[in-house]
Structures are given as C-alpha cells and as structure tokens.
Amino acid sequence: MKKMLFAFCSICLLVQLGFAQNDLIHALPSQLGMDGAFIKQKVDSIMQMGIDSLAFPGAQVLVAKNDTVIFHQAYGYHTYDQIQPVKVNDLYDLASVTKISGPLPALMKLVDEGKLDLDKPFSTYWEPWQKRKDKRDLTLREILAHQAGLVPYIVFLQKVIKKNGMVKKRFVRDFPRDRFSGQVYDRLYINDRFERKMNRIINRSDVSADKKYLYSGLSFLIFPSLIEQKTGMDYERYLEENFYQPLGCETLAYLPKVKGFTNAIVPTEIDSLFRKSVVKGWVHDENAALKGGVSGNAGLFGTADDLAKLMLFYQNYGRVDGQQLISAETVREFTEVQFPENDNRRGLGFDKPLLDNASLSLENAYPSSLASPESFGHSGFTGTFVWADPVHKLTFIFLSNRVYPTRDHRKLYSLGIREALQDVFYRAER
C-alpha cells in the first residue's frame, strides 16, 4: 500500500482587521455546520483509492462553504516515482477549465457592455464567417452552448509534423528568430503565421446541419483574437486588469515558466510525439501550444486557491469585495441551461448537471446527484474539475495530473472519483 502524503492547510478564522483583500477565509467544517470527521475519513479513503488505482499520482481537493474554505488537502506526489509531494500551492495545467477562466469572463463583460449580442450571428463580429454559408448565421449563444454543430476538434499538430515524426522547419524552429516568436516548449518556437493558418482551417471546417449538443472547442481558439478586437487591449492584459487583479488571483496565468512564479509546477504527459519530453510548465494541449501557449481552449495554469476565488466570484453572481465586475443578470444567463429541449445540459460556456441528474445514482450522475440544477462548472482533460453551487453555497475544486505518464490513464473517469468526492461534502451538511 503506497504511503499517502497529505498536507493540511492552516485552519483559522481571519476575524482580525487588516488581512489582505481577496485572501480566502478558512474555517473548520464544524464551524460551518458540517461533519469534519466524516469529510476527512471519506475523502482520505477516496483519494487513497485513486492513487492505488493509478488514476493519478497525486491530487488535491479544495472545498468552500459560504465563501469560506473548510477543506484543502493535497495527496500523493507529482509523479509515480514518489519524489516530490503535492503541495496545496502547486500550479496545475488547467486544460479546458481555461475556457471558463480565460475567455469566458471577458465575453460576459463584453455582453454586459453591449459590445456583443448573444443572439446576433457570430459573423457580425468575426468577419471571415460572413463568407461561409454554413457559419454566417450561427449565433454566439449556439456556439457557447455547443449547439452550433461545429467540429469538436481539429488536430493541428498534423500540419507541423512529417510522416517520419520530424517537425516541419517552415513551421517550427528550435530557437527564436524573425517570424518565430511564439514559444511552444523549451527550444521549440512556432512560426507567427501559423495562427493564421489555424484560423483559416477553422473558418473552412465543416458544420453539422443537425443542431444538437456536440462539444466543440474550436471557437475558443479564436476568442482571444475577438476579445482583442473588441477591447483594443492585449488579451492577457485585459484578463489581468479586469478580473485576476480584482479577484486577487496571483497565479492564474498563461506561460508560467516565463512569469517567475516560485510555485512548483505539476507535470502532465510524457510526450513522445512532439515535445519528446515530460511536459512541465508548458501547456499540454497541442492546439494551444501551437498558438504560442496563449489560447482560449487551454493554456491557463493556476492554484486551487485562485480557482476558488474565481468560482466564488461566479457563485456570487459577478460580485467581489463590493464590486460588481459583471452584472448578476449576465452571470445568471450564462449559467443557465440554454437548450434543454434539445437534450443539451450546457450553459453558455459552463457545464451543467445532467438534465435528470437528481434522479440518478451516484455511479451514473454528473456531477454529484445532490448538486443543485443551478450549479455549474467545467472539467479539464489533464484531470482538473471546478464546480460552484449557488444554492448550497458549495464550491468544489479538484486538481490532478491524471494524464501522467500518458493520457491513456482514464481511471479518474471510470471510478467516478470526482463525483464521489463532491458527494461527500453534500452529505456532510448537517
């Protein structure tokens, strides 16, 4: 039986005056009316099972009740060699959690300001689609709810790798130079023109005539450019000034290796195809990597604390420290199911519980069957998961690197680990 290492967060109530703005408040579960002994026994057991089953080498769980963190523990190690233990301030590759942490708050604010209309054709704002018969009438609402019929994914890596596995030098170089400024990995730089090639391929991609729920990340690849067009600001700077700074998110960022963070970064996959190494500190998703690491579909890194701050902001319908950064009406609209008549559970950008979730067993539910229909969140391919429940006032953060050493590790899903963990905290409410 592997030795389980877990780091307890400091448990205290910050009631004294003068604590830093945006610091998370911590309390014992019992102080918020929850059964602390039940939580610890159940969570420890589930996490040990996950590690023993090779669902992940290590992970962490953070849960807040009523805006107060009542549980934050780290388990296991960065890798299966059991050298570096997981710590609660480690940085994780958030994968698709990026979608609701990067472009989505910006899109919400632009809708709030009347600069985007959810029900106008997206081609109103993205000019190349005006000439595409199958795309020109698609609305932003349909796109964000994954109801537009867009192709789920395009493997752009096929465009930069030869049949013999070598990279095409016209697209990728091993040192920066003119027209090769976007860094993909250590000693890998992408041609600045490749983003335009990606956009052309997206613009020409097929659209299904059958309007039903089909998850697609394609539009999120172009959202950063759209946001820059509508705001006149650099995408990263816009996020930093309008959201991350006001929320006190000090580590939520793209390209963490060049940001000088002191936090340890948890590795993802051992990439034998493209980067020929352990991917650590650079985005795991190849499409985001080929955009220089800054994309709307993936690329953000962050700590559990910063994700908790973001999800509490959403849970409180756009309000933080007395500021209404996004109107409550807009946040409510984005977090509501959009096309239930099409058996589509999705909100706008946000994932939602299965439509019949409350009637399902834990084994078949997503997320916990006790989560309210008003709850929302998102998962990430690397093994990340965030969820906010404004009815129960429960915020759940789970971070892991389940793709280590390869993405074939899928026990996190088959064992229902995240749903089981989340369920514990609903059942612990007295």
Side-chain angles (χ1 to χ4, degrees), residues 81-335:
D81 58 17
Q82 298 188 359
I83 293 175
Q84 185 166 359
V86 176
K87 294 184 178 179
V88 293
N89 65 342
D90 285 345
L91 282 170
Y92 284 78
D93 180 332
L94 304 182
S96 279
V97 171
T98 296
K99 292 178 172 68
I100 67 166
S101 308
L104 197 64
L107 294 175
M108 294 167 79
K109 186 172 176 63
L110 290 170
V111 168
D112 221 16
E113 295 170 345
K115 295 177 181 177
L116 291 176
D117 189 318
L118 290 168
D119 296 308
K120 280 187 177 180
F122 183 63
S123 61
T124 306
Y125 314 108
W126 192 250
E127 188 176 345
W129 285 20
Q130 293 176 8
K131 300 175 183 178
R132 310 301 302 183
K133 185 177 180 181
D134 58 357
K135 291 189 180 69
R136 64 187 176 204
D137 295 325
L138 300 178
T139 66
L140 185 56
R141 187 183 301 277
E142 291 173 320
I143 292 166
L144 288 173
H146 304 283
Q147 185 72 24
L150 296 173
V151 173
Y153 195 84
I154 295 174
V155 184
F156 291 104
L157 191 60
Q158 294 176 346
K159 306 297 181 183
V160 303
I161 294 184
K162 301 176 184 178
K163 291 182 179 179
N164 63 4
M166 301 297 289
V167 296
K168 297 177 181 179
K169 291 295 185 181
R170 71 178 183 275
F171 292 136
V172 180
R173 297 291 176 91
D174 58 4
F175 54 90
R177 54 177 297 178
D178 290 343
R179 303 195 316 275
F180 288 83
S181 61
Q183 191 165 4
V184 175
Y185 196 67
D186 296 317
R187 296 182 58 81
L188 283 179
Y189 296 83
I190 189 72
N191 191 314
D192 297 340
R193 297 179 180 176
F194 192 73
E195 181 171 10
R196 282 185 285 175
K197 183 178 180 69
M198 293 175 73
N199 287 346
R200 284 197 302 272
I201 293 171
I202 292 171
N203 295 338
R204 297 169 183 170
S205 63
D206 293 334
V207 177
S208 173
D210 186 11
K211 297 303 177 189
K212 62 182 182 180
Y213 170 48
L214 182 65
Y215 182 85
S216 171
L218 283 195
S219 62
F220 285 87
L221 290 164
I222 58 180
F223 282 155
S225 295
L226 172 71
I227 290 162
E228 291 184 344
Q229 289 175 21
K230 301 303 290 184
T231 64
M233 288 179 64
D234 172 76
Y235 168 67
E236 290 184 84
R237 186 162 68 89
Y238 183 80
L239 295 180
E240 184 67 29
E241 292 184 7
N242 286 279
F243 302 105
Y244 302 159
Q245 287 180 4
L247 292 172
C249 297
E250 298 178 353
T251 64
L252 203 54
Y254 292 95
L255 303 169
K257 286 199 75 172
V258 302
K259 298 289 169 65
F261 296 128
T262 58
N263 311 62
I265 303 176
V266 179
T268 51
E269 189 172 16
I270 300 176
D271 182 359
S272 60
L273 182 63
F274 180 38
R275 288 157 287 201
K276 315 289 186 183
S277 179
V278 176
V279 181
K280 180 178 179 179
W282 301 98
V283 60
H284 173 263
D285 179 87
E286 292 89 352
N287 285 352
L290 292 173
K291 289 180 75 72
V294 180
S295 182
N297 72 310
L300 275 176
F301 287 70
T303 61
D305 274 5
D306 279 354
L307 286 171
K309 292 172 184 178
L310 178 68
M311 295 309 291
L312 286 168
F313 163 67
Y314 287 141
Q315 184 172 288
N316 292 318
Y317 294 109
R319 191 170 182 82
V320 61
D321 286 340
Q323 301 180 71
Q324 196 73 44
L325 302 185
I326 304 171
S327 74
E329 292 77 14
T330 296
V331 179
R332 288 180 188 278
E333 183 167 17
F334 271 70
T335 57

Side-chain angles (χ1 to χ4, degrees), residues 35-50:
D35 188 338
F38 172 80
I39 289 172
K40 185 180 186 310
Q41 187 272 322
K42 290 292 187 181
V43 174
D44 286 358
S45 176
I46 294 168
M47 293 298 282
Q48 185 65 63
M49 179 270 291

